[in-house]
mmCIF file of all heavy atoms in Angstrom:
data_model
loop_
_atom_site.group_PDB
_atom_site.id
_atom_site.type_symbol
_atom_site.label_atom_id
_atom_site.label_comp_id
_atom_site.label_asym_id
_atom_site.label_seq_id
_atom_site.Cartn_x
_atom_site.Cartn_y
_atom_site.Cartn_z
ATOM 1 N N THR A 1 6.929 -2.593 1.276
ATOM 2 C CA THR A 1 7.810 -2.044 2.300
ATOM 3 C C THR A 1 7.148 -0.878 3.016
ATOM 4 O O THR A 1 6.588 0.008 2.372
ATOM 5 C CB THR A 1 9.107 -1.519 1.651
ATOM 6 O OG1 THR A 1 9.714 -2.555 0.889
ATOM 7 C CG2 THR A 1 10.085 -1.012 2.696
ATOM 8 N N VAL A 2 7.241 -0.897 4.336
ATOM 9 C CA VAL A 2 6.847 0.249 5.147
ATOM 10 C C VAL A 2 7.972 0.479 6.148
ATOM 11 O O VAL A 2 8.496 -0.470 6.737
ATOM 12 C CB VAL A 2 5.510 0.004 5.886
ATOM 13 C CG1 VAL A 2 5.169 1.178 6.801
ATOM 14 C CG2 VAL A 2 4.379 -0.251 4.893
ATOM 15 N N SER A 3 8.349 1.719 6.319
ATOM 16 C CA SER A 3 9.392 2.049 7.294
ATOM 17 C C SER A 3 9.072 1.387 8.632
ATOM 18 O O SER A 3 7.933 1.452 9.102
ATOM 19 C CB SER A 3 9.457 3.568 7.478
ATOM 20 O OG SER A 3 10.195 3.888 8.641
ATOM 21 N N PRO A 4 10.063 0.745 9.270
ATOM 22 C CA PRO A 4 9.815 0.115 10.570
ATOM 23 C C PRO A 4 9.251 1.096 11.604
ATOM 24 O O PRO A 4 8.515 0.692 12.495
ATOM 25 C CB PRO A 4 11.196 -0.393 10.990
ATOM 26 C CG PRO A 4 11.937 -0.574 9.722
ATOM 27 C CD PRO A 4 11.435 0.511 8.803
ATOM 28 N N LEU A 5 9.549 2.369 11.458
ATOM 29 C CA LEU A 5 9.054 3.379 12.392
ATOM 30 C C LEU A 5 7.612 3.785 12.109
ATOM 31 O O LEU A 5 6.983 4.453 12.932
ATOM 32 C CB LEU A 5 9.963 4.615 12.346
ATOM 33 C CG LEU A 5 11.444 4.352 12.600
ATOM 34 C CD1 LEU A 5 12.258 5.624 12.388
ATOM 35 C CD2 LEU A 5 11.665 3.786 13.995
ATOM 36 N N GLU A 6 7.092 3.379 10.957
ATOM 37 C CA GLU A 6 5.733 3.762 10.543
ATOM 38 C C GLU A 6 4.788 2.566 10.439
ATOM 39 O O GLU A 6 3.629 2.732 10.066
ATOM 40 C CB GLU A 6 5.782 4.473 9.182
ATOM 41 C CG GLU A 6 6.747 5.640 9.102
ATOM 42 C CD GLU A 6 6.326 6.837 9.919
ATOM 43 O OE1 GLU A 6 5.113 7.074 10.079
ATOM 44 O OE2 GLU A 6 7.221 7.542 10.428
ATOM 45 N N GLN A 7 5.268 1.363 10.735
ATOM 46 C CA GLN A 7 4.423 0.177 10.591
ATOM 47 C C GLN A 7 3.270 0.202 11.588
ATOM 48 O O GLN A 7 3.371 0.789 12.655
ATOM 49 C CB GLN A 7 5.269 -1.083 10.747
ATOM 50 C CG GLN A 7 6.214 -1.264 9.585
ATOM 51 C CD GLN A 7 7.117 -2.474 9.697
ATOM 52 O OE1 GLN A 7 6.941 -3.325 10.551
ATOM 53 N NE2 GLN A 7 8.098 -2.552 8.816
ATOM 54 N N GLY A 8 2.161 -0.424 11.185
ATOM 55 C CA GLY A 8 0.984 -0.478 12.039
ATOM 56 C C GLY A 8 0.055 0.711 11.865
ATOM 57 O O GLY A 8 -0.911 0.856 12.623
ATOM 58 N N GLN A 9 0.310 1.548 10.873
ATOM 59 C CA GLN A 9 -0.519 2.740 10.650
ATOM 60 C C GLN A 9 -1.365 2.643 9.378
ATOM 61 O O GLN A 9 -1.956 3.628 8.948
ATOM 62 C CB GLN A 9 0.365 3.986 10.592
ATOM 63 C CG GLN A 9 1.120 4.239 11.877
ATOM 64 C CD GLN A 9 2.011 5.469 11.792
ATOM 65 O OE1 GLN A 9 1.767 6.368 10.995
ATOM 66 N NE2 GLN A 9 3.035 5.508 12.615
ATOM 67 N N GLY A 10 -1.408 1.469 8.763
ATOM 68 C CA GLY A 10 -2.246 1.268 7.585
ATOM 69 C C GLY A 10 -1.587 1.585 6.251
ATOM 70 O O GLY A 10 -2.237 1.509 5.207
ATOM 71 N N ILE A 11 -0.308 1.924 6.253
ATOM 72 C CA ILE A 11 0.376 2.260 4.997
ATOM 73 C C ILE A 11 0.453 1.035 4.089
ATOM 74 O O ILE A 11 0.209 1.135 2.882
ATOM 75 C CB ILE A 11 1.777 2.848 5.280
ATOM 76 C CG1 ILE A 11 1.647 4.168 6.046
ATOM 77 C CG2 ILE A 11 2.566 3.041 3.984
ATOM 78 C CD1 ILE A 11 2.954 4.721 6.587
ATOM 79 N N GLY A 12 0.785 -0.116 4.639
ATOM 80 C CA GLY A 12 0.850 -1.336 3.837
ATOM 81 C C GLY A 12 -0.488 -1.664 3.193
ATOM 82 O O GLY A 12 -0.550 -2.037 2.015
ATOM 83 N N LYS A 13 -1.576 -1.515 3.942
ATOM 84 C CA LYS A 13 -2.916 -1.764 3.393
ATOM 85 C C LYS A 13 -3.219 -0.808 2.254
ATOM 86 O O LYS A 13 -3.810 -1.194 1.240
ATOM 87 C CB LYS A 13 -3.969 -1.604 4.491
ATOM 88 C CG LYS A 13 -3.947 -2.683 5.530
ATOM 89 C CD LYS A 13 -4.962 -2.398 6.610
ATOM 90 C CE LYS A 13 -4.733 -3.359 7.769
ATOM 91 N NZ LYS A 13 -5.558 -3.032 8.921
ATOM 92 N N LYS A 14 -2.824 0.460 2.405
ATOM 93 C CA LYS A 14 -3.068 1.443 1.347
ATOM 94 C C LYS A 14 -2.271 1.110 0.096
ATOM 95 O O LYS A 14 -2.773 1.237 -1.019
ATOM 96 C CB LYS A 14 -2.723 2.845 1.846
ATOM 97 C CG LYS A 14 -3.698 3.361 2.886
ATOM 98 C CD LYS A 14 -3.270 4.689 3.453
ATOM 99 C CE LYS A 14 -4.223 5.104 4.564
ATOM 100 N NZ LYS A 14 -3.759 6.283 5.287
ATOM 101 N N LEU A 15 -1.027 0.677 0.268
ATOM 102 C CA LEU A 15 -0.209 0.292 -0.883
ATOM 103 C C LEU A 15 -0.775 -0.953 -1.561
ATOM 104 O O LEU A 15 -0.785 -1.047 -2.791
ATOM 105 C CB LEU A 15 1.238 0.067 -0.454
ATOM 106 C CG LEU A 15 2.037 1.341 -0.189
ATOM 107 C CD1 LEU A 15 3.313 1.021 0.588
ATOM 108 C CD2 LEU A 15 2.370 2.055 -1.495
ATOM 109 N N LEU A 16 -1.268 -1.897 -0.770
ATOM 110 C CA LEU A 16 -1.870 -3.104 -1.326
ATOM 111 C C LEU A 16 -3.112 -2.742 -2.145
ATOM 112 O O LEU A 16 -3.302 -3.240 -3.256
ATOM 113 C CB LEU A 16 -2.235 -4.056 -0.176
ATOM 114 C CG LEU A 16 -2.259 -5.543 -0.438
ATOM 115 C CD1 LEU A 16 -0.967 -6.049 -1.031
ATOM 116 C CD2 LEU A 16 -2.581 -6.286 0.848
ATOM 117 N N ALA A 17 -3.941 -1.850 -1.615
ATOM 118 C CA ALA A 17 -5.143 -1.408 -2.337
ATOM 119 C C ALA A 17 -4.768 -0.671 -3.618
ATOM 120 O O ALA A 17 -5.399 -0.864 -4.669
ATOM 121 C CB ALA A 17 -6.004 -0.527 -1.436
ATOM 122 N N ALA A 18 -3.736 0.158 -3.564
ATOM 123 C CA ALA A 18 -3.278 0.884 -4.756
ATOM 124 C C ALA A 18 -2.760 -0.091 -5.807
ATOM 125 O O ALA A 18 -2.979 0.109 -7.012
ATOM 126 C CB ALA A 18 -2.199 1.899 -4.379
ATOM 127 N N ALA A 19 -2.097 -1.158 -5.374
ATOM 128 C CA ALA A 19 -1.599 -2.173 -6.312
ATOM 129 C C ALA A 19 -2.768 -2.870 -7.008
ATOM 130 O O ALA A 19 -2.728 -3.103 -8.224
ATOM 131 C CB ALA A 19 -0.736 -3.194 -5.570
ATOM 132 N N GLU A 20 -3.806 -3.183 -6.246
ATOM 133 C CA GLU A 20 -4.978 -3.834 -6.827
ATOM 134 C C GLU A 20 -5.662 -2.907 -7.832
ATOM 135 O O GLU A 20 -6.073 -3.342 -8.909
ATOM 136 C CB GLU A 20 -5.931 -4.277 -5.722
ATOM 137 C CG GLU A 20 -5.352 -5.404 -4.889
ATOM 138 C CD GLU A 20 -6.172 -5.748 -3.656
ATOM 139 O OE1 GLU A 20 -7.334 -5.311 -3.545
ATOM 140 O OE2 GLU A 20 -5.633 -6.475 -2.789
ATOM 141 N N GLU A 21 -5.766 -1.634 -7.493
ATOM 142 C CA GLU A 21 -6.358 -0.657 -8.403
ATOM 143 C C GLU A 21 -5.517 -0.545 -9.687
ATOM 144 O O GLU A 21 -6.058 -0.477 -10.790
ATOM 145 C CB GLU A 21 -6.453 0.699 -7.712
ATOM 146 C CG GLU A 21 -7.128 1.764 -8.544
ATOM 147 C CD GLU A 21 -7.234 3.083 -7.806
ATOM 148 O OE1 GLU A 21 -7.424 3.082 -6.578
ATOM 149 O OE2 GLU A 21 -7.095 4.128 -8.472
ATOM 150 N N TYR A 22 -4.207 -0.544 -9.534
ATOM 151 C CA TYR A 22 -3.296 -0.499 -10.679
ATOM 152 C C TYR A 22 -3.543 -1.708 -11.592
ATOM 153 O O TYR A 22 -3.624 -1.578 -12.811
ATOM 154 C CB TYR A 22 -1.858 -0.468 -10.163
ATOM 155 C CG TYR A 22 -0.792 -0.381 -11.214
ATOM 156 C CD1 TYR A 22 -0.498 0.817 -11.850
ATOM 157 C CD2 TYR A 22 -0.043 -1.508 -11.565
ATOM 158 C CE1 TYR A 22 0.502 0.903 -12.811
ATOM 159 C CE2 TYR A 22 0.956 -1.429 -12.523
ATOM 160 C CZ TYR A 22 1.221 -0.224 -13.142
ATOM 161 O OH TYR A 22 2.211 -0.154 -14.093
ATOM 162 N N GLY A 23 -3.673 -2.888 -10.996
ATOM 163 C CA GLY A 23 -3.952 -4.097 -11.767
ATOM 164 C C GLY A 23 -5.287 -4.029 -12.491
ATOM 165 O O GLY A 23 -5.408 -4.479 -13.635
ATOM 166 N N GLN A 24 -6.292 -3.457 -11.833
ATOM 167 C CA GLN A 24 -7.607 -3.281 -12.468
ATOM 168 C C GLN A 24 -7.504 -2.367 -13.676
ATOM 169 O O GLN A 24 -8.048 -2.668 -14.740
ATOM 170 C CB GLN A 24 -8.602 -2.677 -11.473
ATOM 171 C CG GLN A 24 -9.123 -3.646 -10.453
ATOM 172 C CD GLN A 24 -10.051 -2.960 -9.448
ATOM 173 O OE1 GLN A 24 -9.913 -1.772 -9.173
ATOM 174 N NE2 GLN A 24 -10.975 -3.729 -8.905
ATOM 175 N N ILE A 25 -6.812 -1.249 -13.510
ATOM 176 C CA ILE A 25 -6.653 -0.285 -14.603
ATOM 177 C C ILE A 25 -5.993 -0.943 -15.815
ATOM 178 O O ILE A 25 -6.364 -0.685 -16.954
ATOM 179 C CB ILE A 25 -5.838 0.943 -14.134
ATOM 180 C CG1 ILE A 25 -6.673 1.771 -13.149
ATOM 181 C CG2 ILE A 25 -5.372 1.794 -15.311
ATOM 182 C CD1 ILE A 25 -5.879 2.822 -12.393
ATOM 183 N N LEU A 26 -5.044 -1.830 -15.556
ATOM 184 C CA LEU A 26 -4.347 -2.528 -16.639
ATOM 185 C C LEU A 26 -5.141 -3.705 -17.195
ATOM 186 O O LEU A 26 -4.725 -4.332 -18.166
ATOM 187 C CB LEU A 26 -2.978 -3.014 -16.155
ATOM 188 C CG LEU A 26 -1.972 -1.927 -15.795
ATOM 189 C CD1 LEU A 26 -0.694 -2.533 -15.232
ATOM 190 C CD2 LEU A 26 -1.657 -1.048 -16.991
#
């Protein structure tokens, strides 16, 4: 989820990368 007012600023990509890092750590 990214606020509709904030979409297109790379927040979703950052969250996706953080999720992948979380999976790696586990």
